[in-house]
Amino acid sequence: MTDPENPLRQDGGLPNLGLADIDQRLDWPDKSVERISDPMGRLLVLWTLIGQYDHAARTTDPDHDGAFTVQSAQKYQLLSAWAHETRRVIPQHRLESDRLSSKKIDALLDEGKPLEAYLEVLEMRDWMPEFMHPDVRFDLLHTIWEQTKPISDRDSFREIVFGEMVIETIPGGLGFCDNAERLRRFELLGRADPIFTQLVNNFLMACITDAPSENPDFFDTETNDISTICLQIGDRKYDRLGAHILDMGILDWQDELTIITKLDQ
């Protein structure tokens, strides 16, 4: 039973994590991890299972030489599912690896090595995506873009990094996010290209007027209720986005109060 007071409750049901594809035992009809109704409860059970599969992987590899076994593959698949679900249920969650990755990127930039920093982010995304929060990955790319100066008029490095940030944000792209997070990212991108600021403004106006989005390819259809978005902006402490939407002067007093109150907490 989902706690009705839990703001993270999922009354409409939970998304399928594909656990049966990892191990059929995780989705038996009468004892299914997949069908646990409370999102936080399912995360807790998944985390416990990751430890069990890790133990099985170590047992199957008696020489401890890192041999890739069925059990280790299942462990990493479960870890990936847990990371993605944590991103959805707890938007502000950060793994320890995020902190370490951020420190490494900062160090490379301090050494004047933006290309190495960029390749480090891409390597994490391509080979170990479950170890880097998608929001952190976007912010690291933005840091690289922001702290890099072109070498010459023909230098396209910043344009390449900027393109990766767009790919990380649009629906179906590499960086899983909901519409509130997309608005945060587009607002940042708008500092370099006003077209993204217009995307933010158009989407917010469509939410308020209950009109179809003018740019449907840049947002998903799951969240377009302005009060929900304002609540998410406040809960996640999106200060810059909150200030932007308040400056637009398009909210009613209740939604304005939601943002102001939560950002001040």
Side-chain angles (χ1 to χ4, degrees):
M1 177 70 71
T2 300
D3 180 0
E5 299 301 321
N6 179 4
L8 302 174
R9 67 182 186 277
Q10 304 291 320
D11 294 332
L14 295 172
N16 190 321
L17 299 180
L19 299 182
D21 295 332
I22 300 174
D23 190 334
Q24 186 61 50
R25 294 175 296 178
L26 300 176
D27 196 18
W28 285 342
D30 298 325
K31 189 179 289 187
S32 172
V33 178
E34 185 75 71
R35 302 175 199 181
I36 295 174
S37 61
D38 185 280
M40 295 296 291
R42 188 164 67 166
L43 281 176
L44 179 61
V45 172
L46 270 178
W47 186 249
T48 303
L49 286 169
I50 289 168
Q52 294 177 354
Y53 278 76
D54 179 62
H55 175 73
R58 294 172 184 271
T59 303
T60 310
D61 179 23
D63 297 328
H64 302 293
D65 58 0
F68 203 62
T69 63
V70 171
Q71 290 76 16
S72 60
Q74 289 174 324
K75 180 193 76 170
Y76 283 112
Q77 286 176 304
L78 282 177
L79 185 57
S80 180
W82 176 85
H84 282 289
E85 181 66 353
T86 301
R87 162 67 187 89
R88 188 186 68 81
V89 174
I90 313 175
Q92 287 184 293
H93 181 78
R94 295 292 187 266
L95 299 177
E96 176 65 10
S97 58
D98 291 337
R99 185 182 67 83
L100 297 176
S101 298
S102 298
K103 289 183 66 176
K104 185 170 185 178
I105 297 304
D106 289 339
L108 288 170
L109 290 175
D110 289 341
E111 295 170 11
K113 300 177 180 179
L115 178 59
E116 286 85 344
Y118 172 70
L119 294 176
E120 177 73 20
V121 175
L122 293 193
E123 183 174 6
M124 287 289 291
R125 183 182 71 187
D126 293 341
W127 296 102
M128 296 177 288
E130 65 273 15
F131 288 115
M132 184 178 286
H133 192 298
D135 296 353
V136 171
R137 189 168 66 229
F138 176 89
D139 289 339
L140 289 177
L141 288 170
H142 182 262
T143 298
I144 294 168
W145 177 85
E146 194 172 43
Q147 296 188 19
T148 303
K149 295 182 179 180
I151 299 175
S152 68
D153 293 340
R154 297 182 180 181
D155 185 0
S156 61
F157 176 70
R158 294 181 87 238
E159 295 177 9
I160 293 172
V161 178
F162 193 88
E164 288 291 348
M165 288 191 284
V166 176
I167 292 173
E168 289 276 345
T169 303
I170 58 176
L174 297 170
F176 175 82
C177 60
D178 56 20
N179 281 337
E181 171 62 17
R182 279 194 186 90
L183 288 169
R184 182 189 77 88
R185 298 184 188 185
F186 284 144
E187 194 276 333
L188 277 175
L189 295 174
R191 304 298 172 108
D193 189 339
I195 191 174
F196 293 100
T197 301
Q198 194 59 47
L199 283 176
V200 172
N201 297 345
N202 289 346
F203 179 80
L204 292 171
M205 288 301 300
C207 291
I208 290 175
T209 59
D210 199 24
S213 174
E214 293 184 23
N215 312 99
D217 293 337
F218 288 86
F219 295 92
D220 61 43
T221 58
E222 294 180 1
T223 307
N224 58 3
D225 175 72
I226 191 64
S227 295
T228 299
I229 289 174
C230 289
L231 186 63
Q232 292 172 330
I233 290 172
D235 284 339
R236 301 177 190 178
K237 308 303 180 187
Y238 291 167
D239 294 344
R240 286 173 54 146
L241 178 59
H244 176 81
I245 190 173
L246 290 173
D247 287 343
M248 290 177 67
I250 58 175
L251 300 176
D252 63 27
W253 69 270
Q254 289 179 319
D255 290 332
E256 281 193 0
L257 186 61
T258 294
I259 292 180
I260 294 171
T261 302
K262 288 189 170 292
L263 289 182
D264 285 343
Q265 288 177 348

